[in-house]
Amino acid sequence: MKRADFAEELARRRTDAGLSLAALAARAHVHRLDLSVERMARAYTPQPADELLRDVRTSARQIGSLLEGRATLAQRRRLLTAAGWIALFAATLHVDRGQR
């Protein structure tokens, strides 16, 4: 194999590995957000509204950030579903706090 061909192959493998790592990281982050939404749903009644609202806002920012980036169709669907639940939690918490 020529030196130039070897260098091209090495560069391609590094790029493929980088893309694979990025995709894996995005998948893990989406999964973590799914778990976070489930945890907030279970914590709704025992956790004080102010604490839960802080978590909701943090998750909403993370979801917004991920939606601005690259994602597969399945990941985008999961993010939008999580965003819907987060919006519902936020609205409910504001009503519970007497805010309209």
Side-chain angles (χ1 to χ4, degrees):
M1 180 179 273
K2 293 181 184 176
R3 179 173 248 178
D5 293 338
F6 180 74
E8 283 181 23
E9 178 65 20
L10 187 59
R12 186 189 62 75
R13 286 185 184 183
R14 283 184 183 156
T15 302
D16 290 348
L19 291 175
S20 298
L21 290 176
L24 183 60
R27 189 178 313 140
H29 201 70
V30 170
H31 181 69
R32 190 177 64 78
L33 280 170
D34 285 343
L35 294 176
S36 179
V37 168
E38 289 177 24
R39 182 193 54 78
M40 283 186 266
R42 288 189 304 269
Y44 175 72
T45 49
Q47 190 173 359
D50 291 336
E51 290 178 24
L52 193 53
L53 190 56
R54 185 180 60 240
D55 293 344
V56 165
R57 288 179 178 150
T58 299
S59 291
R61 281 191 300 272
Q62 291 173 342
I63 290 169
S65 175
L66 287 171
L67 283 171
E68 289 175 0
R70 293 179 62 168
T72 66
L73 187 59
Q75 289 170 337
R76 199 163 288 283
R77 182 178 58 236
R78 287 172 62 188
L79 286 170
L80 290 172
T81 300
W85 280 109
I86 292 294
L88 177 64
F89 291 151
T92 303
L93 289 166
H94 284 292
V95 168
D96 289 350
R97 297 174 74 203
Q99 300 169 336
R100 290 189 169 255

